[in-house]
Amino acid sequence: MSTGDMRPVVRLLTAVERTERQERTLARIRTECERTDARFAEQGIALDVSITRALDELAEGAPSTGLCPAYSYAFYQVVAAHFSAPADLGAWRRPAWFSTLDDELARHGVPSDLLPGTFLFSGPPLRLPHPGDAVPAIGTLPARRAAALAAAYASVLDRLDPEFRDAARRFADVMRGEAREWESACRRGANPDTLLFWFH
């Protein structure tokens, strides 16, 4: 998970004419994409479209395929250039497990827009070619909702099945911290409006 202002990310990828600063940022992101391509090659992972090429196609507004994970990896690198350093929320072998967690939280009255499955896999704010598999997956949550999420989860912790308690507590703790950071940033005139979640 990382936090930041999504507007510069969207502007970079949708600009008709980029500023010099945007071009420099895009060059740095391209270098990161090249590194990821090299790492994948060392691991024997072959994508139909390289991540570097996917970045260029996204910047041009012309993806060459409708199904490839490279575009999600490229988008993540664009976000990483603008957002905070990522925080690790944990490791889950099956993203589908969150559906069961959703059911448990909903049963105790947590609103649907605050259920993990709703925001963890909601997709990026721009239309990207589908990754084609369960991962990588991208989700977003408005930062202003972090406090409500923390409060909702904390209020039901004692009633949750023990299988789900640790995960719910972790989300509540992290979101409580994110809510404080968001409020502090807003007082300083910043706008870290988005929490981005990345499963890979």
Side-chain angles (χ1 to χ4, degrees):
M1 182 193 82
S2 57
T3 310
D5 185 344
M6 189 61 75
R7 292 173 302 174
V9 173
V10 173
R11 282 196 293 262
L12 181 68
L13 291 176
T14 58
V16 176
E17 290 187 24
R18 289 183 187 82
T19 65
E20 188 176 320
R21 181 176 181 180
Q22 286 177 319
E23 289 293 354
R24 287 196 303 269
T25 301
L26 199 56
R28 288 196 306 273
I29 296 166
R30 189 173 289 108
T31 299
E32 291 305 316
C33 289
E34 289 167 352
R35 287 183 180 143
T36 306
D37 281 329
R39 189 175 74 247
F40 278 14
E42 288 172 5
Q43 296 171 354
I45 300 171
L47 303 177
D48 293 338
V49 176
S50 74
I51 298 167
T52 306
R53 180 177 153 199
L55 173 67
D56 291 338
E57 291 179 2
L58 288 177
E60 293 163 6
S64 59
T65 179
L67 183 71
C68 184
Y71 300 92
S72 295
Y73 284 106
F75 178 80
Y76 178 75
Q77 291 299 340
V78 178
V79 170
H82 293 87
F83 276 39
S84 67
D88 190 354
L89 291 179
W92 289 276
R93 286 177 294 187
R94 294 177 298 111
W97 176 80
F98 285 101
S99 175
T100 312
L101 175 58
D102 284 355
D103 292 343
E104 176 72 1
L105 289 167
R107 190 165 66 86
H108 294 288
V110 173
S112 61
D113 68 320
L114 298 178
L115 298 175
T118 302
F119 61 85
L120 290 177
F121 309 102
S122 60
L126 292 175
R127 187 178 178 91
L128 300 180
H130 194 279
D133 202 346
V135 293
I138 296 170
T140 62
L141 178 75
R144 61 182 166 72
R145 297 292 286 150
L149 190 150
Y153 285 30
S155 71
V156 301
L157 273 178
D158 293 344
R159 290 178 279 148
L160 296 179
D161 186 288
E163 177 188 355
F164 306 109
R165 209 168 286 152
D166 286 343
R169 182 179 291 110
R170 172 101 173 114
F171 274 107
D173 291 346
V174 168
M175 292 301 165
R176 197 173 297 114
E178 289 299 330
R180 287 194 297 267
E181 289 292 323
W182 179 72
E183 290 168 4
S184 174
C186 288
R187 285 194 296 270
R188 297 191 310 269
N191 184 38
D193 61 357
T194 303
L195 302 174
L196 182 124
F197 303 91
W198 171 249
F199 284 80
H200 63 103

